[in-house]
Amino acid sequence: MSDTNEKFDYIIIGAGVAGLASAQYAARGGLKTLVIDISMPGGQALTIPTLENYPGVYPAVSGTQFCQNMRDQAESFGAVIIQSEVQSIDKVGSDFKIVTRKDSYIGTAILIATGAEHRKLGVPGEDKLEGRGVSYCATCDGPFFRNRKIFVIGGGDSACDEAMYLSTLTDDVTLVHRRDVLRAQKAVADRLLANPKVKVIFNAKVKEIKGEGRVQSIELEDTTDGSVTEHQCDAVFIFAGMNPVTQLVEMLPKDEGGYIKTDDDMKTLMPGLYAAGDIRSKSFRQVVTAVSDGAIAAHSAGEYVRNLKAKK
């Protein structure tokens, strides 16, 4: 690792929509801004097949196109975006030191926008068959199962949206939900229930995913009477919620779900350290709310940086 210690006003860890929005606002506001992510910019939004509920974006666009536009916009204002893995964050005086695999950087203000990752079911066969029919991304892996029998696990917006997408690839999609009503927004749920290519099994949970070398069947347990049924299938797409990626900031206070607590200005308890997007404790997680978080964080960080410079 080369210890460059290049100085930035604002360093954003995570290049999802919250991080990209924050980069745009910060750079446009005159902050020297760096964005670091282990993956390509866009985060979870890259997997959205059709983004149809973002205000002002009409007709709908793909998540990939939306994220590329966000990246181009942020870079046009001067934000620097790099792909690297952040290994540590340390407070050094009034600044923060960010260490990656290759370099280190100094930032006056830091935004944690590392989002959340897919939650696993923890059932037999899930890990063994991941990448062999078990998937957490329909747009990534769905085309491999065109005209095959697919099960989707979950009842929220993501599960319903992904089931709808998968129904464009096959006429045999079954969505499994552990409760008797879908958790998704009404418009999303109604659209799914009206789709003749999607069958819904309510009050059931996955007991085991079976197969030798690939997914061959799934066992479901009825949550009302405990009975178990086995269903032949070729793929199981799991959308059972998310776990916030907080490993870099375990010292910060979190809610019962493990999400970082902030105030309305995205401030954490540590001065100069902000959190935005899906990693933050809040009641509603959508692209539009993540973008809002990022913009607010940039505004707060800008005030913080300018106040510190004024004291020097």
Side-chain angles (χ1 to χ4, degrees):
M1 183 186 76
S2 58
D3 192 22
T4 59
N5 284 340
E6 184 177 355
K7 179 74 179 286
F8 287 85
D9 294 319
Y10 189 42
I11 297 179
I12 300 165
I13 302 173
V17 293
L20 291 174
S22 203
Q24 175 206 318
Y25 270 78
R28 186 172 182 268
L31 298 182
K32 185 180 179 183
T33 302
L34 173 68
V35 184
I36 309 172
D37 199 310
I38 192 171
S39 302
M40 67 181 295
Q44 292 179 53
L46 289 170
T47 67
I48 299 173
T50 306
L51 182 62
E52 63 178 8
N53 64 343
Y54 194 91
V57 177
Y58 184 83
V61 299
S62 69
T64 301
Q65 184 59 61
F66 182 80
C67 294
Q68 184 61 53
N69 290 347
M70 289 192 75
R71 174 180 186 163
D72 292 345
Q73 194 173 26
E75 290 181 327
S76 75
F77 289 119
V80 176
I81 301 174
I82 65 171
Q83 189 169 336
S84 188
E85 181 182 1
V86 175
Q87 297 181 317
S88 65
I89 303 172
D90 295 299
K91 187 79 171 180
V92 181
S94 61
D95 293 322
F96 295 87
K97 183 173 183 178
I98 308 297
V99 177
T100 73
R101 284 190 176 276
K102 295 181 179 179
D103 300 291
S104 61
Y105 304 92
I106 301 296
T108 303
I110 303 295
L111 173 64
I112 304 298
T114 44
E117 59 190 6
H118 293 288
R119 183 178 300 149
K120 293 192 173 186
L121 298 176
V123 299
E126 180 180 12
D127 287 341
K128 182 182 74 171
L129 294 170
E130 183 174 350
R132 296 176 173 83
V134 171
S135 175
Y136 306 87
C137 177
T139 52
C140 306
D141 299 324
F144 294 115
F145 301 97
R146 195 179 297 272
N147 299 321
R148 309 297 286 275
K149 187 175 182 62
I150 296 173
F151 272 65
V152 176
I153 314 303
D157 287 354
S158 294
C160 292
D161 284 342
E162 300 286 34
M164 289 293 292
Y165 167 71
L166 290 167
S167 74
T168 68
L169 304 175
T170 179
D171 294 340
D172 198 345
V173 177
T174 302
L175 184 138
V176 179
H177 185 44
R178 60 183 178 177
R179 297 177 180 145
D180 59 358
V181 63
L182 296 173
R183 293 186 295 105
Q185 299 174 76
K186 186 178 186 301
V188 175
D190 288 349
R191 186 162 60 244
L192 176 94
L193 293 171
N195 189 334
K197 297 181 181 180
V198 181
K199 174 185 176 183
V200 180
I201 299 177
F202 289 105
N203 297 314
K205 63 181 182 180
V206 179
K207 183 177 177 66
E208 184 175 354
I209 302 170
K210 295 183 174 181
E212 292 299 326
R214 61 178 179 84
V215 169
Q216 294 171 313
S217 67
I218 185 171
E219 278 192 354
L220 302 179
E221 180 181 339
D222 191 297
T223 58
T224 60
D225 61 19
S227 61
V228 176
T229 55
E230 185 170 352
H231 307 261
Q232 302 301 308
C233 65
D234 301 293
V236 179
F237 288 83
I238 299 169
F239 306 99
M242 308 296 290
N243 290 320
V245 181
T246 61
Q247 292 89 331
L248 291 169
V249 285
E250 289 296 351
M251 69 289 192
L252 294 177
K254 304 175 186 66
D255 66 14
E256 63 277 5
Y259 294 91
I260 296 173
K261 292 182 178 181
T262 73
D263 65 10
D264 291 342
D265 295 321
M266 307 301 136
K267 297 175 183 176
T268 69
L269 283 184
M270 182 175 291
L273 186 59
Y274 304 85
D278 284 354
I279 198 173
R280 187 175 81 87
S281 178
K282 56 182 180 177
S283 61
F284 192 47
R285 292 182 175 86
Q286 293 282 291
V287 171
V288 69
T289 63
V291 167
S292 174
D293 285 358
I296 293 170
H299 176 74
S300 298
E303 289 187 335
Y304 176 79
V305 170
R306 285 188 289 272
N307 287 338
L308 275 184
K309 288 183 177 179
K311 292 177 182 178
K312 292 182 179 179

